[in-house]
Amino acid sequence: MATNPEARARLTIDALLAAAGWAVQDVAAVNLHASPGVALREFPLNTGFGCADYLLYVDGKACGVIEAKKQGATLTGVETQSGRYAQGLPASLPAWHRPLPFLFESTGVETHFTNGLDPQPRARSVFAFFRPELLAEWLVYLSGAPGQPAANDEARTFLHRMRNMPQLVTAWGAGGATFQLWPAQIAAIQNLEKSLTANKPKALIQMATGSGKTFTAISFIYRLIKFAGARRVLFLVDRGNLARQTKKEFDQYASPYNNFKFGEEYIVQHLQNNQLDKSARVVICTIQRMFSMLKGRELPAEADEESTEGLENLFKEPEPIGYNSAIPIETFDIVVTDEAHRSIYNLWRQVLEYFDAYLIGLTATPNKQTFGFFNQNLVMEYGHAQAVADGVNVNYDVYRIKTEVTEKGSKVEKGYWLETLDKATRKKTAWQLDEDFEYDPSELDRSVQTPDQIRTVVRTLRDKWNVDLFPQREEMPKTLVFAKDDNHAEKIVEILREEFGRGNEFAQKITYRTTGTSPEQLIKDFRTAYYPRIAVTVDMIATGTDIKPVEVVVFMRSVKSRSFFEQMKGRGVRICNTTDLQQVNPGEHVVKDHFVIVDAVGVCERDKTDSRPMDQKKGVPLDKLLQAVALGNVEEEVLSSVAARLARLDRDSSDEDKAKVIATSGGLSLRDLAKAIVEALDDDETPSPAGAGEGRGEGGDRLGEAVRPFSNPDLRSLILQLRQKADQVIDIVTKDTLISATFAEGSDRAKELVQTFEQFIAQHRDEITALQILYSRPIRAPLKFEDIKQLADTLHAPPHLIDEGALWQAYAALDRSKVKGTSARRILTDLVSLVRFAMHQENELVPYPERVQANFNAWMAQQGKPFTPEQQHWLEMIRDHIAANLDIEMEDFELAPFINEGGLGKVHQLFGAELPNVIEELNRGLAA
């Protein structure tokens, strides 16, 4: 039995290949005619290209490679290695194309695949390996070069064809059968097709009940089959009656292009048993039936009629789905799941994640879990409004991105499902909360990872770089991103590629754990080649690396050491001559006259120390460090690194595991062990008094005592086990929200935004009602909510595109002493405060609710009689309503929150005949 981790991984890979129909052979025993697909182990390539772990042959010609890694290895950094293998096939051997188009990287638990036939080939995670018949089918596309459209229109990949979809027909038919798409359906289909063209793996369509979700789905399914070449679509529902209803709608649908009924042109199967019709282009099925089929079980017909809602709560641990050779992962190209909010939990989500397919969710009632599962890609609201573009003329600037989770952490209520990631194997496990789960910002991307926090920062960078940072550029400038650790870097790379809609080469991870192409070569490419545009690192490129073309430095990790921070920041300060810069940047206006720090964690705002970094051996695994200590190594760098890692491990360990350490070490905790090393090192650096003897003296003795426990192999083994055991929680529920994205204090952009706003109100003072009223303030004309809404709509619309939140931050950037409430969420009535401050009617910019509160306090002080507690409570509710709506009227008492506490009748009972006077005084006094 194989004991080497990589050998064990290869045994798993062998089994997966065999299950998918491949003949796995050694090179010495090769027989290319034994099967349509042959995988040759340890295949020697041309000199300098190494040895491919597996070389794949289809129909007698080479077509791809598999790079095997041990369980737990991250795979993004291996892509360059498998890419190099694809170029190293000896010229004398037959190949479908050179370089080989199909690249796999696998640990047996996790597998990535890149289809070189796609435009902008991008790695994706797959459940297992494809059957050789599918690769043979894809190889038809090689009538054109990999990455380019084929000459034959029918012989192009799905992604190629998505780029050339015909215009959507929105109305068709004649006589009694006419069809018309509603605007919401048109938007859903068009945005979905944009999402698919961008190669986004998941998309969610939220449409209200009765608005035509199924008709929308049938319309886009028809287009994806007819024009994009989707081979087969799975339409999942959770009850048999929904399946029948869906089948009926498919039968009634007529083509906008030839008037054939859907079922006349393509076979649509309502799957009511376990016999899949391989000729069907659409399969309608309950999710419980597909689950049973993948498990190889029969499902009684009556089970199709039972709703699955809530069923997943009966399974604390989901019964895992394994590879089923009768239903390969490539069976469906598209999976549509209706009522998606009910089908994404751990028991059923395995069905959704089994197939190598684009996943499209339909729902009327999404929740946070739904948004999280679909990567927050709500295509009905797809896209972001761009901000005002302007230039930067300074050499150095800070662009601060704040999000809710980054600033405050998050809390997920019990009952939701999160995931845990085993850091050793990178295997994910679903976890349902039996109590609320709360974490603060310091835990982000260490013990907790929140994908949407990363996604929100990346989306902001994507949407703002050519608006705020480099508006005249055609391509993202060379960008360096600092991550917290290798797992964090891995996730950042994945989301960068997805959100920018680019291939593997666009963003690369360059860390100590990068395998395949050496980090040095990747750094050289980053410096001198067009790709990668973005490099994600932990601290490998933090110091000493000269990459002159870098114009954006993104901090997604905090730094406490001042000197280390300055070195990291320094990656962008170097000048770069225009000729060198233009070699790696397209278009005009390519001059490096500044660089930008994008601060996503507040690193530029925090105090830093000059303390030395403890872990000075980051590139050395912990097992090697412990072994060195056991063999007598007491060098400061080694011991300092051991102490730093033990301290981190102590924070991540459970009470039970801490008790095991104490028992094994003879009474010492991980913290005690780390502390003893640090104190011994400090003693050793203290000069000895004259005559105290030679050698290491007492400090040396103390070092010996501090490292003695590590002579115990059981303790070393336990420490390594705990290090591997540490799980990271993945919060897939929390949807992060952008608080602000703006330049820091003194920014030219802040000045321009403020100037634009003040010029706007001066130019439109006689045209917009709200400005007319605010300019004529002495008249005390009543300002209505509708007036402010009109002003806001005008500011938000092109060409102004002025947002209240960004404007508030801009005023703060210019003079923070005069601006309050910078961290608060803006409400519409804050626009009143902004206009008054811009017109110099007020000396401080204060949130409108705070101004109302101050006026309320003054009004209360003027009253000659006390109010009862109940009257006081109602007055405070009236105050809050005015703060949000500018005034209050009698009919407002029939709305929340007043109606919940008695409404108009109750307030009349409390204030009697004085009520009209009270309302008039509050409207006049609080909004002043």
Side-chain angles (χ1 to χ4, degrees), residues 62 317 545 601 618 663 678 833:
E317 293 293 333
T545 307
V601 293
K618 290 181 180 294
V678 173
S833 296

Side-chain angles (χ1 to χ4, degrees), residues 196-231:
L196 292 171
T197 303
N199 199 14
K200 298 201 173 196
K202 298 178 182 179
L204 180 65
I205 294 175
Q206 176 188 1
M207 297 179 70
T209 302
S211 62
K213 291 194 303 294
T214 306
F215 187 77
T216 302
I218 296 171
S219 298
F220 68 66
I221 287 171
Y222 181 84
R223 285 171 58 81
L224 294 179
I225 292 174
K226 187 172 185 66
F227 301 115
R231 295 173 302 119

Side-chain angles (χ1 to χ4, degrees), residues 33 177 292 310 313 351 357 391 557 585 617 659 789:
H33 302 289
S292 296
N313 295 324
V351 175
R557 59 168 290 186
N585 288 282
K617 290 287 186 181
K789 182 67 167 59

Side-chain angles (χ1 to χ4, degrees), residues 157-191:
T157 67
F158 178 85
L159 286 176
H160 273 302
R161 298 177 72 165
M162 282 302 305
R163 295 183 168 199
N164 296 281
M165 294 288 281
Q167 185 175 355
L168 178 65
V169 177
T170 60
W172 68 97
T178 58
F179 301 87
Q180 181 160 356
L181 292 169
W182 298 357
Q185 295 170 321
I186 295 170
I189 294 170
Q190 291 176 336
N191 289 342

Side-chain angles (χ1 to χ4, degrees), residues 377-537:
N377 189 22
L378 184 63
V379 296
M380 280 294 292
E381 299 179 359
Y382 187 73
H384 297 275
Q386 293 187 339
V388 178
D390 49 5
V392 176
N393 297 316
V394 295
N395 292 325
Y396 164 76
D397 214 340
V398 176
Y399 192 78
R400 180 72 164 96
I401 296 176
K402 290 184 180 181
T403 76
E404 292 283 350
V405 174
T406 309
E407 297 297 304
K408 303 174 185 177
S410 184
K411 177 180 179 181
V412 184
E413 296 83 2
K414 67 178 181 179
Y416 283 107
W417 291 88
L418 304 184
E419 292 179 345
T420 59
L421 173 71
D422 187 317
K423 291 182 179 179
T425 66
R426 290 184 57 78
K427 183 177 181 180
K428 294 180 182 178
T429 305
W431 171 39
Q432 186 177 26
L433 299 178
D434 53 12
E435 61 182 9
D436 291 351
F437 178 77
E438 190 168 1
Y439 54 91
D440 59 44
S442 66
E443 298 175 83
L444 273 176
D445 302 304
R446 296 198 186 279
S447 60
V448 181
Q449 185 181 91
T450 306
D452 199 55
Q453 181 266 339
I454 301 173
R455 191 177 302 280
T456 301
V457 172
V458 169
R459 281 180 173 170
T460 304
L461 182 63
R462 179 199 68 189
D463 294 338
K464 299 289 189 179
W465 75 263
N466 63 344
V467 175
D468 286 346
L469 308 188
F470 294 91
Q472 294 180 313
R473 296 292 182 88
E474 295 179 9
E475 175 66 286
M476 180 80 187
K478 291 282 186 171
T479 298
L480 182 61
V481 180
F482 288 112
K484 289 185 178 177
D485 58 25
D486 197 65
N487 280 304
H488 189 211
E490 184 89 356
K491 193 65 178 178
I492 292 172
V493 169
E494 173 191 326
I495 292 177
L496 276 167
R497 293 172 177 176
E498 181 181 328
E499 291 301 329
F500 276 82
R502 305 289 286 271
N504 295 343
E505 74 281 358
F506 177 73
Q508 290 283 336
K509 183 183 72 173
I510 307 178
T511 71
Y512 291 105
R513 295 190 181 184
T514 301
T515 57
T517 300
S518 68
E520 290 75 19
Q521 182 60 46
L522 289 173
I523 290 171
K524 181 180 178 181
D525 292 342
F526 185 45
R527 181 189 299 118
T528 62
Y530 189 87
Y531 290 115
R533 304 306 304 173
I534 302 179
V536 182
T537 188

Side-chain angles (χ1 to χ4, degrees), residues 897-918:
F898 306 105
I899 192 64
N900 299 330
E901 301 193 30
L904 187 59
K906 184 64 176 180
V907 75
H908 268 297
Q909 178 186 337
L910 289 172
F911 294 96
E914 288 296 312
L915 180 60
N917 292 333
V918 169

Side-chain angles (χ1 to χ4, degrees), residues 827 829 848-860 871-888 893 897-898 918 922-923 926-927:
I827 63 174
T829 52
Y848 190 73
E850 290 187 24
R851 185 70 68 188
V852 169
Q853 175 67 57
N855 293 338
F856 178 75
N857 293 341
W859 181 82
M860 290 290 292
Q871 288 176 321
Q872 177 81 19
H873 172 64
W874 275 78
L875 289 171
E876 290 170 356
M877 287 198 296
I878 293 171
R879 173 203 64 197
D880 294 342
H881 185 89
I882 292 175
N885 300 276
L886 296 177
D887 68 356
I888 190 166
F893 290 109
F898 306 105
V918 169
L922 290 174
N923 277 334
L926 270 56

